[in-house]
Amino acid sequence: MAPAKITKDSLLTLEAYAKVRSAHRPGFIAHRRLRSVALGEHVTVQFEDEQTIRRQIQEMLHIEKIFDEDGIQGEIDAYAALLPDGGNWKATMLIEYPDPHERKRELARLIGIEDRLFVEVEGHARAYAIADEDLERENEEKTSSVHFVRFEFSDLQRVAIRAGAAVKLGCDHRNYPSHVQIAAETLASLAGDLRG
């Protein structure tokens, strides 16, 4: 499978997108839900693909009213790093605490959580997240509530995933130990991101 590529010519114009935006929203929400995994009560991992990134770019162009070529290319370039390339999964990790005081306290306790996120393919070693490349998303006082992660897989791991092996998403941070089996329908969607 060739890596997905989003180009200026493959995007809808602002006018065309405005016409289909509302009609396409339910389908997009269902796709996003299919590719989201709750890890415990407070972490959600949203796995990205060409469809989710294309929608994000179109939304940014729509909201910011960007129609010039340089602006469009700037948005494409900003999100290109979140497209899986056939050998990995890429995701947005959201840490969610509704209460602001609890959020502040927990983000201080969860420094480094993004580096303790892993995918475990049945019969294989854990693939730990490579987080926030080229971005500083935490400091000595707290971590960010949003992280960008990727999981790199060996050839054997990719083959196992595509053949239907069980896969867990987990975290072994001392203040947030958690793991969950990825549901079959979600795993089927994610397996499509990987080349044989």
Side-chain angles (χ1 to χ4, degrees):
M1 181 183 95
K5 185 144 174 65
I6 297 173
T7 62
K8 288 193 307 279
D9 295 337
S10 72
L11 293 169
L12 297 173
T13 64
L14 289 181
E15 295 81 8
Y17 182 68
K19 287 178 185 170
V20 299
R21 183 174 182 244
S22 293
H24 288 184
R25 182 175 287 135
F28 176 75
I29 290 170
H31 182 72
R32 171 60 86 192
R33 190 175 297 126
L34 174 68
R35 295 180 60 87
S36 295
V37 179
L39 185 59
E41 288 184 48
H42 302 287
V43 172
T44 302
V45 179
Q46 297 180 337
F47 290 93
E48 308 293 355
D49 68 355
E50 187 269 343
Q51 188 176 333
T52 65
I53 297 304
R54 177 178 297 278
R55 173 75 181 210
Q56 187 63 40
I57 292 168
Q58 292 278 187
E59 278 293 300
M60 292 305 296
L61 298 177
H62 174 80
I63 291 164
E64 301 291 332
K65 304 289 184 250
I66 299 169
F67 56 86
D68 62 288
E69 286 198 13
D70 289 345
I72 294 169
Q73 190 60 52
E75 290 300 322
I76 292 170
D77 294 345
Y79 287 99
L82 289 174
L83 281 171
D85 66 13
N88 53 35
W89 288 340
K90 296 186 179 180
T92 304
M93 174 189 188
L94 306 168
I95 305 171
E96 301 167 298
Y97 289 89
D99 179 74
H101 300 294
E102 184 184 19
R103 182 183 322 122
K104 183 177 180 183
R105 183 183 71 238
E106 293 305 314
L107 291 179
R109 293 180 66 237
L110 294 175
I111 291 173
I113 188 173
E114 67 279 8
D115 298 316
R116 305 311 307 163
L117 199 62
F118 64 82
V119 169
E120 188 173 333
V121 181
E122 183 180 17
H124 296 270
R126 291 175 173 175
Y128 278 89
I130 300 163
D132 302 325
E133 296 169 284
D134 304 326
L135 295 168
E136 195 54 52
R137 308 233 18 118
E138 69 180 24
N139 56 39
E140 300 82 35
E141 295 173 14
K142 69 177 184 70
T143 190
S144 173
S145 58
V146 179
H147 294 278
F148 303 102
V149 298
R150 70 181 162 94
F151 301 95
E152 289 293 333
F153 299 113
S154 69
D155 292 346
L156 291 175
Q157 286 171 315
R158 287 197 309 272
V159 168
I161 292 167
R162 289 179 62 84
V167 181
K168 289 180 185 170
L169 176 69
C171 177
D172 60 12
H173 189 282
R174 71 181 183 278
N175 292 324
Y176 200 87
S178 186
H179 69 273
V180 64
Q181 188 98 7
I182 297 177
E185 60 274 11
T186 297
L187 193 52
S189 180
L190 297 178
D193 296 345
L194 301 174
R195 60 179 177 268

